[in-house]
Amino acid sequence: MSGQTNVSFFWNGGLWQLNNGLVKIQKSDWVADTLSVIDSNLEFEFNANNKRLNINNAQLYMGSVQQGFTLGPVTAEFGGQLPFQNPLQSTLTLTRHTVKGLGGNITIPNQSYSLANSFALPVVFENISLGELMRQYPSHKISIDGEVSGTIPAHWDPKQLTIERGYVTALAPGGHLQVNSSALMSAAGSNPSLKTLAGVLNNFYYQQLSTVIDYNQKGKLTLAIQLKGSNPEVENGRPVELNVNLEEYLPALIKGLTLSNSLNDVIRKRVQQKIN
């Protein structure tokens, strides 16, 4: 880390001021609560006084960002203001960014954001790999490949993030889904429909996949998934449409993923303490 600034202090009023500041932080790894960043560089200009810190022409690079899921590399150019008396009144102005993750790209609008106000945050996903998603969210019962794109319209209300009617859809030509449906087969008994469903899911090729995503203030993530395709080994490849609704408490999911995937022992211990 290196930096410089000009310091002025006014004895009568007890006021101070920093001008022409410059900070460079290179090749750093850091941890904030249960968020970890690996291989980061940050350079920015700044000035400050008793009331606020102003950051200008900031350039950020992060090789890897992890909180449950892993994203990166991430680059961004931005500026911002931080009021010392009320940090929740901070503003961030994003001028350029790139986010790589899950085999594709993730983008948000380049604009000014005020943490004190509500604002829409449309998150755009392009060419996200479902195989990479499942690699980070491992399951011995499900495997899937293919790519999806879509937009999740997040909404920021001070201190709270929600999602209403996000939409993600698969890219042509679709993909392949395999589900270990032995438990379903056992539960099916003499029910022919459930037996057929279990057989279809063993080797399902989908041409269409769409998901509607909601996330409420209580942390519940809801996925309404629609699949259209067939299993060539079941009923001569008869077309099948599946509608599946999934619910997950997202904070608990992220903690579990952090415990299973994290390479940072500090993060692992902090998550475990929170769970305990």
Side-chain angles (χ1 to χ4, degrees), residues 134-145:
M134 291 305 300
R135 188 187 70 79
Q136 294 200 33
Y137 185 13
S139 171
H140 64 280
K141 294 185 177 181
I142 300 175
S143 66
I144 188 170
D145 60 27

Side-chain angles (χ1 to χ4, degrees), residues 52-101:
R52 67 173 55 86
L53 167 68
N54 298 313
I55 295 175
N56 305 304
N57 301 321
Q59 299 184 39
L60 172 67
Y61 171 84
M62 296 183 289
S64 175
V65 183
Q66 185 180 80
Q67 189 173 42
F69 293 100
T70 300
L71 301 177
V74 176
T75 64
E77 295 179 2
F78 62 93
Q81 287 189 340
L82 172 65
F84 293 126
Q85 295 298 321
N86 192 350
L88 292 179
Q89 299 287 329
S90 297
T91 60
L92 172 72
T93 301
L94 185 64
T95 56
R96 187 188 69 83
H97 72 286
T98 61
V99 181
K100 302 291 185 180

